[in-house]
């Protein structure tokens, strides 16, 4: 039982555990909303034309822009943070790295950006283009 508890604590304190859960949630949310869109269909667009009236190409462009910006932000934040941590750990103590990896705020921010990126990719994949019609 002790080994199982220690394995759970190690997994829970790793840097990518919470972001992986958030990416999984974003993928499930995307798939659920795609199914809901399939069920509602054209009726929802007719009911709310100003909110849902964008065409396929407009939606594609918006999702591509959001996906590109999210992965750029995530990469930049992660790179700057790793550089700052490597400098700090060489100056002070290597325990800074352990504290960083266990910090839930860092994990949440990284998971949010990567989750939005994954959501945009899943939804972007389901949009049909003009060449597919």
């Amino acid at each position: 039982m002790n080994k199982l508890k220690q394995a759970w604590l190690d997994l829970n304190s790793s840097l990518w555990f919470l972001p992986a859960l958030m990416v999984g949630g974003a993928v499930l949310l995307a798939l659920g909303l795609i199914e809901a869109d399939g069920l509602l269909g054209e009726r929802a667009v007719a009911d709310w034309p100003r909110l849902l009236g964008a065409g396929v190409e407009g939606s594609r462009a918006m999702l591509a822009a959001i996906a590109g910006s999210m992965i750029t932000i995530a990469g930049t934040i992660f790179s700057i943070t790793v550089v700052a941590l490597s400098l700090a750990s060489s100056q002070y103590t290597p325990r800074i790295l352990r504290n960083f990896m266990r910090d839930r705020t860092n994990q949440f921010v990284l998971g949010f950006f990567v989750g939005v990126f994954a959501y945009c990719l899943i939804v972007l994949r389901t949009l049909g283009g003009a060449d597919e019609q």
Side-chain angles (χ1 to χ4, degrees):
M1 185 64 177
N2 236 355
K3 288 184 179 184
L4 184 62
K5 187 175 182 179
Q6 184 62 37
W8 172 252
L9 289 175
D10 289 343
L11 180 67
N12 201 17
S13 67
S14 71
L15 177 64
W16 288 101
F17 179 68
L18 183 63
L21 288 177
M22 291 177 72
V23 168
V27 168
L28 290 176
L29 179 68
L31 293 175
L33 290 177
I34 289 167
E35 288 299 317
D37 180 55
L39 293 175
L40 292 176
E42 297 296 322
R43 190 182 74 205
V45 175
D47 289 344
W48 299 307
R50 291 182 189 244
L51 182 63
L52 302 173
V56 174
E57 291 305 315
S59 299
R60 267 187 178 288
M62 184 178 67
L63 284 171
I66 292 171
S69 64
M70 286 297 119
I71 200 65
T72 302
I73 289 171
T76 303
I77 288 174
F78 189 70
S79 299
I80 290 172
T81 305
V82 167
V83 167
L85 282 172
S86 66
L87 291 174
S89 69
S90 67
Q91 292 289 323
Y92 298 111
T93 177
R95 287 184 295 193
I96 290 175
L97 293 173
R98 194 175 319 128
N99 290 337
F100 167 75
M101 290 179 63
R102 288 184 181 160
D103 187 27
R104 289 287 182 201
T105 306
N106 293 329
Q107 293 175 1
F108 179 78
V109 169
L110 186 61
F112 177 77
F113 289 136
V114 178
V116 170
F117 173 71
Y119 176 86
C120 289
L121 285 185
I122 297 295
V123 174
L124 191 60
R125 179 73 178 109
T126 62
L127 291 178
D131 55 345
E132 295 177 8
Q133 293 178 353

